[in-house]
């Protein structure tokens, strides 16, 4: 339900067929359907990867020189200008992990439920900042309860 709502709120009616986006969604749903174990971070990885097809995939490199992620600009930066719109070092590192991994290695990323919740809330803000129709989702709270 959560992924459905994310897609509904983020994909706009287009005048052309977007084959890469369709293939990404189709392949992701097949992978999710074939999973034998619950992966509590699938939705986070999916959202990070979806941003690539929607035009606001994070750019720049996470490093000691740029350990923060600016949600408005969509890039890694050296210092925090606005704490509300910047991921701290820990969440920026986590974002970097989701950028650099793939579905086969997703289970190697280990995070607590509290950090998962915080990261999801920040990802939702990232989407809101880049997609005008991405507001007032109903399913995140249900997802938080299911993944506790």
């Amino acid at each position: 339900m959560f992924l459905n709502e994310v897609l509904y709120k983020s994909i706009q009616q287009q005048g052309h067929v977007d084959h890469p986006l369709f293939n990404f969604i189709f392949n992701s749903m097949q992978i999710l359907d074939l999973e034998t174990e619950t992966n509590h971070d699938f939705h986070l990885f999916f959202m990070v990867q979806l941003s690539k097809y929607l035009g606001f995939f994070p750019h720049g490199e996470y490093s000691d020189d740029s350990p923060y992620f600016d949600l408005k600009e969509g890039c890694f930066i050296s210092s925090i200008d606005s704490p509300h719109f910047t991921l701290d070092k820990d969440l920026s590192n986590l974002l970097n992990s989701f950028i650099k991994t793939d579905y086969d290695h997703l289970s190697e990323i280990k995070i607590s439920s509290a950090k998962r919740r915080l990261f999801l809330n920040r990802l939702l803000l990232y989407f809101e900042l880049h997609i005008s129709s991405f507001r007032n989702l109903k399913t995140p709270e249900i997802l938080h309860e299911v993944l506790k």
Side-chain angles (χ1 to χ4, degrees):
M1 286 186 341
F2 173 76
L3 295 179
N4 181 53
E5 187 175 30
V6 166
L7 291 170
Y8 178 77
K9 294 276 190 170
S10 59
I11 297 175
Q12 307 300 311
Q13 191 97 11
Q14 298 177 3
H16 69 284
V17 177
D18 190 336
H19 291 287
L21 175 60
F22 173 82
N23 290 333
F24 164 73
I25 295 168
F26 182 79
N27 293 334
S28 297
M29 294 305 111
Q30 280 190 315
I31 290 168
L32 180 61
D33 192 42
L34 295 172
E35 285 289 319
T36 56
E37 295 180 23
T38 301
N39 187 318
H40 292 91
D41 301 322
F42 183 91
H43 61 294
L44 301 173
F45 177 77
F46 179 85
M47 287 183 69
V48 170
Q49 297 305 313
L50 177 63
S51 71
K52 184 183 313 177
Y53 299 93
L54 299 177
F56 55 94
F57 189 69
H59 58 276
E61 288 288 322
Y62 172 83
S63 68
D64 289 339
D65 293 331
S66 52
Y68 305 101
F69 185 74
D70 184 313
L71 296 168
K72 283 184 173 179
E73 299 300 321
C75 63
F76 291 96
I77 57 175
S78 59
S79 61
I80 295 177
D81 294 330
S82 172
H84 183 69
F85 297 112
T86 307
L87 297 183
D88 65 20
K89 288 181 181 182
D90 194 35
L91 291 180
S92 295
N93 187 27
L94 181 58
L95 174 62
N96 187 57
S97 297
F98 283 116
I99 290 170
K100 295 190 181 257
T101 197
D102 56 28
Y103 284 121
D104 292 333
H105 298 95
L106 185 55
S107 62
E108 295 172 13
I109 298 175
K110 306 290 185 202
I111 56 177
S112 68
S113 60
K115 188 187 288 189
R116 181 178 300 111
R117 183 183 186 105
L118 179 60
F119 188 67
L120 174 60
N121 290 339
R122 302 301 278 164
L123 267 181
L124 292 171
L125 175 59
Y126 183 52
F127 271 61
E128 285 177 22
L129 290 168
H130 295 275
I131 302 171
S132 60
S133 62
F134 201 87
R135 302 271 188 273
N136 306 318
L137 272 71
K138 308 285 188 241
T139 56
E141 285 307 314
I142 297 167
L143 184 65
H144 290 311
E145 289 302 314
V146 170
L147 295 178
K148 270 189 179 178

